[in-house]
Amino acid sequence: AASKKAWVNDLLGFGADFIGGDKWLWMEQHWTHHAYTNHADMDPDSFSAEPVMLFNDYPLDHPARRFWHKAQGVFFLPLLSFYWVSMVFNPSIFDLDHPGAASIGMKLDNDFIKSRRKYAVFLRLLYIYWNIVCPFLHTGFTWTTAGQILFLGMSESLTLAALFALSHNFEGADRDPTKAARESGEPVCWFKSQVETSSTYGGYVSGALTGGLNFQVEHHLFPRMSSAWYPFIAPTVREVCKKHGVRYTYYPWVYQNFISTFKYMHKAGTGANWREFAQPLKGDL
């Protein structure tokens, strides 16, 4: 939240539509992601890139594995540059029925969603006209113009998707937060699972540059809090986690988080963690 007034936050949410996304689809996906962070079957962020690449570190004999995943440590970042294309031309814009959210039982055929479909389609057509059609109307069809449009999309994709990927895909991330509940019946501590499936890097400057995306632990614990407060509460969150034995992953610099993510993606793709007799779905790396 950026304001105490709901209508201001509601209006600012349309910023997603002006970068090629959609406010309502994002809420559907993000609510589900927050409720089931890193759950292999219920978090859309964990399986939506399959079969192209794996974020989940599946067992070696899992049917989701493909031979090309062994090289994903090299190609996952270039592949993320096409995130923009998958968002702008996402057919879910017509019915606002996010497949990931729908797959876990979220009811998306209610009157509110139906009433917003026409606005979502209009905003998407407006975005395509401004950012794809207009340049060609101005210059005619040229490969230079096409390249510039693609460069815009790739730059935007890497700015967002690369930072998203860092947040929950790193060495030591808990990839199976409900394991204890399944095996022993022990209730899942939602707060603990949010911390151990997320990472934080940097501080105030990184927060200002990324809109608070770097404080992913704090964001998952307090999703309705303005990100401007995250650098102030982060030290206390770390102290509380230390006191209760909760693993809080912090990287002083973003490049350290990137390195950890590259290593994780490589090992998830090759199955190296399983060959080394670790338990990646539990985060014991």
Side-chain angles (χ1 to χ4, degrees), residues 219-235:
H219 170 58
H220 270 255
L221 290 174
F222 307 101
R224 292 177 63 85
M225 180 183 290
S226 169
S227 61
W229 291 106
Y230 291 160
F232 300 100
I233 70 170

Side-chain angles (χ1 to χ4, degrees), residues 121-174:
V121 172
F122 170 75
L123 289 170
R124 179 57 48 82
L125 292 175
L126 188 62
Y127 178 87
I128 292 174
Y129 177 75
W130 275 346
N131 293 279
I132 299 176
V133 176
C134 276
F136 287 123
L137 291 178
H138 181 69
T139 66
F141 182 84
T142 67
W143 288 110
T144 298
T145 301
Q148 290 170 340
I149 294 172
L150 187 59
F151 180 76
L152 174 149
M154 294 177 71
S155 299
E156 179 185 323
S157 296
L158 286 175
T159 301
L160 289 174
L163 295 178
F164 291 159
L166 296 180
S167 303
H168 306 288
N169 305 284
F170 52 88
E171 293 180 299
D174 189 348

Side-chain angles (χ1 to χ4, degrees), residues 59-192:
L60 296 176
D61 59 350
H62 196 280
R65 287 193 174 275
R66 301 289 188 272
F67 71 88
W68 60 80
H69 294 152
K70 294 180 180 180
Q72 71 175 23
V74 175
F75 69 69
F76 93 93
L77 197 57
L79 194 63
L80 289 178
S81 66
F82 292 96
Y83 177 68
W84 175 80
V85 175
S86 70
M87 293 299 294
V88 173
F89 299 103
N90 184 354
S92 295
I93 194 68
F94 294 106
D95 58 10
L96 294 183
D97 190 351
H98 189 279
S103 70
I104 61 98
M106 187 179 288
K107 303 299 182 182
L108 303 173
D109 59 348
N110 57 73
D111 291 340
F112 175 79
I113 293 296
K114 290 178 181 178
S115 70
R116 295 302 184 268
R117 290 171 180 168
K118 57 182 178 291
Y119 302 114
V121 172
F122 170 75
L123 289 170
R124 179 57 48 82
L125 292 175
L126 188 62
Y127 178 87
I128 292 174
Y129 177 75
W130 275 346
N131 293 279
I132 299 176
V133 176
C134 276
F136 287 123
L137 291 178
H138 181 69
T139 66
F141 182 84
T142 67
W143 288 110
T144 298
T145 301
Q148 290 170 340
I149 294 172
L150 187 59
F151 180 76
L152 174 149
M154 294 177 71
S155 299
E156 179 185 323
S157 296
L158 286 175
T159 301
L160 289 174
L163 295 178
F164 291 159
L166 296 180
S167 303
H168 306 288
N169 305 284
F170 52 88
E171 293 180 299
D174 189 348
R175 302 302 310 189
D176 192 5
T178 61
K179 185 174 188 295
R182 295 197 310 272
E183 294 183 348
S184 65
E186 178 184 347
V188 176
C189 176
W190 185 85
F191 293 99
K192 181 175 184 291

